[in-house]
Amino acid sequence: MQLKLANIILEELPQFVQEPTLCCRSTSVYKVTGGEMHFFDAGSYDFTTFFGALSTQKWRKYSVAKDFYVHLELKGAACSIEQTRADSFTWDNPEVVKGSRVDYCDSEEWAVYDSKLLDSETDVLNAFVINSSGALSIRNAYYYTTVDDADVCPVELALATTTFKKEEYIEHNIELVKERILGSSEEISKHFHMHVVDNGRSLDAKKLQAPGVTIYPNNNVGGAGGFARGMIAALEQEPQATHVLLMDDDVVISPESILRTYNLLRIVNKDYDEAFVSGAMMKMGEPAIRWEDTGYMSSAGFCRPMKPVMYMNDLHDVAANESFTVPVDNPWYEDRKQEYAAWWYCCIPISQVKKNGLPLPIFVRYDDIEYGLRCKTKFITMNGICVWHSAFENRYNAAVERYQTTRNAFIAQYISGVASLTDFTNELFHNIQLELKKFCYTNVELVLEGFEDFLKGPEFIMQPVAEERFMYANRVKEKLLPFDEVREEALRLGVDLDGLTSNSIELDIPRSTRQRALDLITFNGQRINDYSISGKVGVVDARGWEYPAGKIRRAETLIAVDTYAKTAAIRHKDNKKFKELWSRYKRDVKYYKAHKDELAKAYAAVKGEITSIPYWKKYLGIE
């Protein structure tokens, strides 16, 4: 049977208008309207792009497909079509496949181009280029394969998204799903259901619900609880879902990504039928930047993207994104084995949910990391399967990065035994000493409170306390105020906030080896008197992971600035507060070391219960 793999003419999304080379690299103007692509003048129209090419190497790796075809219809000026290929060493332009040229005379009638892709084993991408002598239109363009009926898997795809008062995004995505998936002529329209878990209870269910779309008003149980509710809905729908696609609410979707995921699942091979499909996070403001598709937990306890950031308007990066590999057998890269898929777009086989249970009730942060590591699965990534998300580097929240991250990392490891190559006490120490050196005592307390909540044992987190603790962390974290509210005090300290630039804030000052040693031993002078330079003020980035060591050394006062939100906080060195917090940290670590085995046994004992459907139904109040 013939089975479609990917459409070539895509939706008229703002991302494609802003970055048209995601779809087609052209020497003249084109526009997509009503499912047709119109080329307005003579030119070259190259589809060897992030969305326009077929990732033949990966389709062979993940699916039963062996041969690939391209189909399209065209009318207008005389033109030629030639197939193209790209491998991991391709740079600016794709290679044209010899002997693939087909010429068309000018015509007002639709002509058909249907050809087998002449790909080789070394090809990463295969596509085509149209060279037109004038205005031309194409339609009904797609890649397909042929497979035996017995090789096609029945797929019922459930999309589960959790939202908390993000109507601007979620309502738009619901309408896209209704129009482009449920309302389409594609096979998926008969095998798809969207479950929207409304943690904010703010959506108009009567307006938004429709056949194939269900809204669930829910208590605010965070992303973890919302996705657990969505997984339960996928398990209980009729017919039961075979896969559940977890997706953030504050994203812009391309329905084509969901279609490609569905098409892949229908012919996935035995080696990958239990794998997670991990969609890439593209950057909202710069839609050609691929930020991450899968990540890994480093041995030091940090979440890292598996691949470097790449630019999907650059052909070399488009091909490299598909051929990228990491030598995990090399000891230097061993922690890359701790791979996971974030839940901005993650499609999970229901068989994995039945086998491994539901997420942990940890509200936000590490729920997706722990689950991916717990399942010990493979991951599928592919060009054209993605969402656009606002960049994380501009959304620092100490309640998440200091309280939630600290608590949840330990809980996840102790319940599920995940990230065995990581010692999270190293990250704990790193974050404590980093914030202390920057005089951010309030956020040091958040780190310690996260650790201390873990030390309370599993009985604490099993109660419905996650929302209250997260809200508490948001209340007590360091408060950054609008520039207008701190401008006068900053001027008294000799700093004109309006004269700052991003570069001046981010630029650091080099230190000598001796200075580094002194700063390390004294915690930037907080262990000794008369270390600071009287009146010295440093201006630093407010994001907690930044360490402008040269700018902060020997300062009495720091002004922490969030350039994205145009807010700031003024911090003063306090040796007494430092000693109090450092003593508290040492006391906590001493308790941890004395009770480590006891904690490990207690947390491991609740794994079966805390990930079960009965537990979650009680937790969610839907028994």
Side-chain angles (χ1 to χ4, degrees), residues 459-478:
E459 297 80 9
F460 177 75
I461 199 64
M462 291 180 76
Q463 304 304 312
V465 297
E467 179 189 13
E468 189 279 325
R469 293 302 289 162
F470 181 60
M471 301 307 292
Y472 165 80
N474 274 288
R475 288 195 303 271
V476 303
K477 69 184 180 183
E478 180 181 56

Side-chain angles (χ1 to χ4, degrees), residues 12 23 29-30 42 101 182 184 362 447 510 544 553 575 608:
E12 302 100 278
C23 303
V29 179
Y30 73 85
R101 177 167 173 157
L182 294 169
S184 74
I362 51 181
V447 178
R553 75 178 312 268
N575 286 7

Side-chain angles (χ1 to χ4, degrees), residues 294-307 324 326-341 369 372-373 377 379 413 418-424 426:
T294 63
Y296 71 95
M297 176 57 63
S298 77
S299 57
F302 302 115
C303 303
R304 298 283 186 248
M306 185 64 74
K307 303 173 186 174
F324 184 90
V326 176
V328 294
D329 293 331
N330 185 314
W332 286 102
Y333 298 100
E334 187 179 17
D335 57 3
R336 268 64 165 187
K337 294 177 181 178
Q338 300 184 153
E339 188 176 12
Y340 62 84
I369 297 169
L373 294 175
T377 188
F379 297 92
Q413 189 174 61
V418 300
S420 60
L421 301 174
T422 301
D423 183 351
F424 285 110
N426 293 330

Side-chain angles (χ1 to χ4, degrees), residues 231 276 338-340 343 352-362 366-377 379 412 415-419 607-608 610-612 616:
M231 288 177 170
F276 290 10
Q338 300 184 153
E339 188 176 12
Y340 62 84
W343 286 354
Q352 290 278 21
V353 180
K354 291 178 178 179
K355 183 167 55 177
N356 294 290
L358 299 172
L360 300 180
I362 51 181
Y366 277 74
D367 49 342
D368 48 2
I369 297 169
E370 182 276 333
Y371 198 81
L373 294 175
R374 188 204 310 172
C375 291
K376 299 176 183 176
T377 188
F379 297 92
I415 288 180
S416 301
V418 300
K607 178 183 176 183
I610 203 171
T611 60
S612 69
W616 268 106

Side-chain angles (χ1 to χ4, degrees), residues 105-158:
C105 299
D106 61 307
S107 174
E108 291 304 309
E109 301 295 324
W110 290 102
V112 174
Y113 173 79
D114 195 289
S115 177
K116 182 178 180 180
L117 291 176
L118 306 175
D119 62 314
S120 69
E121 290 184 0
T122 60
D123 290 355
V124 175
L125 309 172
N126 291 90
F128 59 96
V129 59
I130 299 176
N131 292 296
S132 175
S133 62
L136 183 73
S137 297
I138 67 171
R139 70 179 186 186
N140 200 24
Y142 55 87
Y143 297 106
Y144 69 95
T145 189
T146 55
V147 294
D148 293 336
D149 290 0
D151 289 330
V152 179
C153 306
V155 174
E156 295 291 334
L157 182 57

